[in-house]
Amino acid sequence: MTVSRTICLGFLVLISIGTFLLMLPIATADGTWNNFVTAFFTATSAVCVTGLIVVDTGSYYSGIGEFFILFLLQIGGLGYMTATTFLLLLLGRRFGLRDRLAIQQSLDKAEMAGVVQLVRSIIATTLIFELTGIFFLLLIFVPDYGWNYGIWLSVFHSISAFNNAGFSLFEDSLMGYATSLPMNLIITFLVIFGGLGYQVIMEIYMWIRDRFARSRERVVFSLHFKIVTTTTLFLLALGTVAFFFTEANNPATFGQFSFGEKIITAWFQSVTTRTAGFNTIPLGEMTSAALFITIAFMFIGASPGSTGGGIKTSTMRVLLSCTRAVLQGREQVLCFQRQIPVELILKAVGVVVASIGMVILGTIVLAVTDSTFPFIELLFEVVSAFATVGLSTGITAAISPLGKVVLIIIMYVGRVGMLMLMSAILGDTRPTAIRYPEENLLVG
């Protein structure tokens, strides 16, 4: 079995186990067997760290059911191969060449050396950030809900935020804390670092370590780090400004807030839109302009090697660099005075084209199965599912059973990735020595 098939089947196994667990009477608040589609949808949303829901998580599921969901989204956030590797490390198993190759491909690492150590670092990084989030969230939830439920709320929302899952135990997500500066800062901190990717976090750690140690050797940031951080900062700033100006006078969303609260809310929406899935305003009441901006940001998503989805920030940056090269009449695609390999450009084009095709196909099918809903709301749901964001205008629960199955498929495809799924279906391609003659044609 190929590596890509192992990864894709691994996620299917996790979803199947999650569906079974969430169907059990102990998982529901009323103690009855759960509906299959509801359990299937919730399990897929959790494993794919999406956050779309068809029932209120906090009231529909029991404490055990909520634990099952938390377990699934934690495994889904780490990734099937990372979680499996960690389990095997605990059992003391040694890793062969095939195991290391599978880990390398799942983490999108260029070389095979040090992949097992990388998994250890990922687990440690995840625990550090999640425990930090739990500590600070305790200061908010414990005064409001007491120690027992306050601890559980802190644990659940910290893990959900760092894994960019967007699951919340509140019926209105985090709308009750829309103007809370500590809550906004804590959740966005976890979401941003969860969406940066582990390689970027490790480079930041090494830079801080050398600064404190006053080492003469300076960390040279990789091209990946520069692209991810600068693109992320640009998108965060652009999103904050865009949401502020499109929603500032909307009485149903920002209109009720002061100027400072509008800035905070716009910042939160800018952060959470790129795959986190939490919301502090009613998205169904947003203006059409803000909805379309949200769709665009969701489609871009987070960064490679992170817990988020979308086409990824680096993919967008590579294509923008290609566009700039064409406009400047250059044959080389440059970024930060480094040439981008042709293989990466082709991969970026493939990712975007396949992603657009999936969104178009999913939207068409959903428009047929659920034609009563406005088109932009259906498009919003499809992009949210594909980019594993979890934001919704409020129609997810009302979508038909067939429409929910469509969203389930889209969430799965968005999580494993279009290219990996095609590789799993068609088999790994082998390089060929055949070279064909070139010929020009008209484009554009």
Side-chain angles (χ1 to χ4, degrees):
M1 183 182 293
T2 63
V3 173
S4 55
R5 286 176 184 170
T6 300
I7 296 172
C8 291
L9 287 175
F11 275 102
L12 287 177
V13 170
L14 285 175
I15 291 171
S16 301
I17 294 173
T19 302
F20 172 74
L21 292 175
L22 293 178
M23 284 186 66
L24 297 175
I26 59 172
T28 59
D30 59 6
T32 59
W33 285 90
N34 194 1
N35 176 269
F36 172 75
V37 175
T38 300
F40 189 22
F41 192 98
T42 306
T44 305
S45 184
V47 171
C48 298
V49 288
T50 303
L52 284 175
I53 55 173
V54 292
V55 293
D56 174 41
T57 306
S59 60
Y60 186 85
Y61 290 101
S62 65
I64 295 177
E66 293 170 3
F67 175 79
F68 288 156
I69 293 173
L70 190 65
F71 171 77
L72 292 172
L73 66 87
Q74 179 70 88
I75 299 298
L78 288 172
Y80 166 73
M81 285 308 305
T82 303
T84 303
T85 303
F86 179 64
L87 177 61
L88 295 177
L89 283 172
L90 292 179
L91 297 176
R93 175 182 161 180
R94 298 185 63 182
F95 292 87
L97 179 62
R98 183 176 179 82
D99 297 323
R100 294 174 186 272
L101 181 63
I103 301 168
Q104 175 201 1
Q105 185 166 335
S106 67
L107 297 176
D108 199 19
K109 198 171 184 291
E111 63 278 348
M112 199 180 302
V115 291
V116 177
Q117 181 59 40
L118 176 61
V119 170
R120 292 193 180 99
S121 300
I122 290 174
I123 299 296
T125 302
T126 301
L127 288 175
I128 290 172
F129 275 94
E130 290 178 352
L131 288 173
T132 302
I134 291 170
F135 173 78
F136 284 105
L137 287 175
L138 283 172
L139 303 178
I140 298 174
F141 287 132
V142 170
D144 292 344
Y145 297 95
W147 278 102
N148 290 337
Y149 195 49
I151 291 175
W152 177 236
L153 287 174
S154 302
V155 171
F156 192 96
H157 287 86
S158 177
I159 295 176
S160 181
F162 184 72
N163 287 282
N164 282 211
F167 275 90
S168 176
L169 297 182
F170 301 115
E171 185 178 4
D172 58 357
S173 190
L174 298 177
M175 288 175 60
Y177 292 91
T179 59
S180 170
L181 181 59
M183 176 65 80
N184 279 267
L185 292 179
I186 295 168
I187 295 297
T188 54
F189 169 81
L190 292 171
V191 168
I192 289 171
F193 276 92
L196 283 176
Y198 297 103
Q199 179 178 333
V200 173
I201 294 175
M202 292 309 298
E203 289 193 42
I204 293 174
Y205 163 74
M206 289 187 290
W207 179 80
I208 295 175
R209 182 195 61 187
D210 290 348
R211 284 282 180 174
F212 277 99
R214 296 182 179 179
S215 174
R216 292 184 178 181
E217 295 182 1
R218 295 299 182 188
V219 173
V220 178
F221 291 119
S222 66
L223 178 62
H224 173 81
F225 177 92
K226 295 175 183 177
I227 288 178
V228 167
T229 52
T230 55
T231 306
T232 298
L233 290 173
F234 172 76
L235 290 173
L236 290 175
L238 179 64
T240 302
V241 173
F243 283 117
F244 179 84
F245 282 106
T246 55
E247 291 294 313
N249 297 319
N250 185 349
T253 55
F254 286 22
Q256 57 186 311
F257 301 139
S258 65
F259 179 81
E261 291 170 344
K262 288 178 181 178
I263 296 294
I264 294 173
T265 309
W267 161 256
F268 188 90
Q269 283 305 121
S270 179
V271 173
T272 192
T273 295
R274 293 180 37 252
T275 85
F278 293 106
N279 63 282
T280 55
I281 57 173
L283 301 182
E285 302 295 330
M286 292 173 70
T287 61
S288 296
L291 283 176
F292 196 77
I293 291 170
T294 302
I295 290 172
F297 275 88
M298 288 193 299
F299 187 73
I300 295 170
S303 302
S306 71
T307 56
I311 64 169
K312 304 297 191 294
T313 53
S314 57
T315 302
M316 185 198 74
R317 188 66 175 271
V318 167
L319 293 182
L320 289 177
S321 298
C322 287
T323 304
R324 185 177 62 181
V326 171
L327 295 176
Q328 293 177 346
R330 289 189 283 103
E331 294 185 357
Q332 294 181 334
V333 178
L334 304 177
C335 195
F336 288 101
Q337 298 180 336
R338 295 291 187 274
Q339 182 177 345
I340 306 297
V342 175
E343 293 80 4
L344 283 182
I345 297 173
L346 293 176
K347 183 177 180 180
V349 172
V351 167
V352 172
V353 171
S355 299
I356 292 174
M358 188 65 194
V359 168
I360 291 174
L361 179 61
T363 305
I364 291 174
V365 175
L366 210 59
V368 173
T369 61
D370 296 84
S371 58
T372 56
F373 296 107
F375 174 78
I376 193 169
E377 293 188 358
L378 295 177
L379 176 62
F380 193 99
E381 291 288 318
V382 170
V383 175
S384 179
F386 178 77
T388 67
V389 179
L391 293 177
S392 173
T393 56
I395 68 171
T396 313
I399 288 177
S400 65
L402 182 57
K404 291 173 183 174
V405 173
V406 172
L407 290 177
I408 287 171
I409 295 172
I410 294 172
M411 284 190 288
Y412 172 74
V413 174
R415 182 63 182 94
V416 299
M418 284 294 297
L419 298 185
M420 181 171 290
L421 182 62
M422 293 306 297
S423 176
I425 295 173
L426 302 176
D428 294 335
T429 58
R430 296 180 179 179
T432 176
I434 300 175
R435 293 292 181 268
Y436 296 95
E438 291 185 359
E439 184 174 347
N440 289 326
L441 72 159
L442 300 176
V443 295

Short mmCIF file of all heavy atoms in Angstrom, two decimals, residues 93 119 286 297:
data_model
loop_
_atom_site.label_atom_id
_atom_site.label_comp_id
_atom_site.label_asym_id
_atom_site.label_seq_id
_atom_site.Cartn_x
_atom_site.Cartn_y
_atom_site.Cartn_z
N ARG A 93 8.29 0.94 19.98
CA ARG A 93 8.55 0.29 18.69
C ARG A 93 9.61 1.06 17.90
O ARG A 93 9.67 2.28 17.94
CB ARG A 93 7.25 0.24 17.87
CG ARG A 93 7.46 -0.31 16.46
CD ARG A 93 6.20 -0.31 15.65
NE ARG A 93 6.50 -0.41 14.23
CZ ARG A 93 5.59 -0.44 13.27
NH1 ARG A 93 4.32 -0.34 13.59
NH2 ARG A 93 5.95 -0.52 12.01
N VAL A 119 8.60 14.51 15.30
CA VAL A 119 7.31 14.15 15.90
C VAL A 119 7.32 14.44 17.40
O VAL A 119 6.35 14.98 17.95
CB VAL A 119 6.98 12.67 15.64
CG1 VAL A 119 5.77 12.22 16.46
CG2 VAL A 119 6.71 12.44 14.16
N MET A 286 -24.02 39.36 8.64
CA MET A 286 -22.96 40.16 8.02
C MET A 286 -23.39 40.66 6.64
O MET A 286 -24.26 40.07 6.00
CB MET A 286 -21.68 39.34 7.89
CG MET A 286 -21.01 38.99 9.21
SD MET A 286 -19.62 37.86 9.01
CE MET A 286 -18.42 38.92 8.20
N PHE A 297 -10.81 34.69 2.50
CA PHE A 297 -9.82 34.39 3.54
C PHE A 297 -9.87 32.93 3.95
O PHE A 297 -8.83 32.32 4.25
CB PHE A 297 -10.04 35.30 4.76
CG PHE A 297 -9.38 36.64 4.64
CD1 PHE A 297 -10.02 37.70 4.04
CD2 PHE A 297 -8.10 36.85 5.11
CE1 PHE A 297 -9.42 38.93 3.91
CE2 PHE A 297 -7.47 38.07 4.98
CZ PHE A 297 -8.13 39.12 4.38
#
